[in-house]
Amino acid sequence: MLDEIENGKMSGVRFVELNACPGGCVGGCLAVENPFVARARIHRMGQGLEENQSQNAVDTKCLTTEILNWQKIPEYSSILMIDTDRSTAMKKLADIESIYETLPDIDCGSCGAPSCHALAEDIVGGTAQDSDCVFKLRERMGALFHEMAELQEYMPPPFRDIKE
């Protein structure tokens, strides 16, 4: 869909919700605006469209009066919880910090994580590896090439020169 929008095949598109974040882009953790206000604003934008254009534009389940008017208390989401057991969580947090210290701390995003700290969290969580970092992978490849060069020059004892 993004390619079609970029290539001009879909005209008149003013907003696309990709739901990459919990709560979507409008209600996501990096949104500057209150998610309830932002959803109401998106809903108003959708009302200005013709009926056939706005069928899938807004998830109406999220736009109930109960949610928009703060009549329903928001529920806690444990998506950022490291572990339910406190001692395990503390150990994982220490592991995250020790892995983070080994990363380049430039937040390039080449690994797929938004920051080096997020990559460290993913590594501890088991969804990533330290070799996902292109800089760590480069170091590892350099070490492997160095080891291969040493092995190439290695001669077993029966074939060594007497001088060695």
Side-chain angles (χ1 to χ4, degrees):
M1 175 171 281
L2 293 176
D3 285 336
E4 289 182 18
I5 293 170
E6 186 177 318
N7 295 331
K9 293 181 181 177
M10 297 181 74
S11 61
V13 176
R14 292 175 52 197
F15 178 79
V16 176
E17 175 63 73
L18 300 175
N19 286 326
C21 305
C25 295
V26 174
C29 59
L30 296 176
V32 176
E33 191 170 34
N34 180 314
F36 296 100
V37 174
R39 284 190 186 122
R41 200 171 276 168
I42 296 297
H43 184 64
R44 274 196 311 268
M45 284 174 53
Q47 287 176 343
L49 301 174
E50 294 178 22
E51 185 61 36
N52 62 353
Q53 288 180 324
S54 65
Q55 285 180 349
N56 294 320
V58 178
D59 184 4
T60 54
K61 292 182 283 185
C62 297
L63 296 175
T64 62
T65 309
E66 175 179 275
I67 292 174
L68 291 173
N69 292 334
W70 289 89
Q71 294 172 355
K72 181 179 178 185
I73 298 172
E75 296 177 15
Y76 169 74
S77 176
S78 63
I79 124 177
L80 298 176
M81 185 180 294
I82 296 174
D83 200 286
T84 54
D85 180 43
R86 188 175 301 234
S87 62
T88 307
M90 294 301 288
K91 183 186 178 315
K92 286 183 177 181
L93 189 58
D95 291 345
I96 288 170
E97 293 304 319
S98 66
I99 290 171
Y100 175 65
E101 292 296 320
T102 67
L103 296 173
D105 193 24
I106 59 171
D107 301 338
C108 66
S110 296
C111 60
S115 67
C116 290
H117 199 275
L119 177 61
E121 291 173 4
D122 292 345
I123 291 169
V124 170
T127 58
Q129 300 174 358
D130 65 341
S131 59
D132 290 347
C133 173
V134 293
F135 297 98
K136 295 291 282 183
L137 182 62
R138 185 176 178 196
E139 287 175 13
R140 189 171 172 195
M141 294 293 287
L144 285 172
F145 287 135
H146 181 70
E147 186 177 340
M148 286 175 52
E150 288 177 355
L151 286 173
Q152 185 178 6
E153 294 179 16
Y154 175 77
M155 287 297 239
F159 302 105
R160 287 186 193 153
D161 193 9
I162 297 176
K163 296 175 188 172
E164 293 180 23

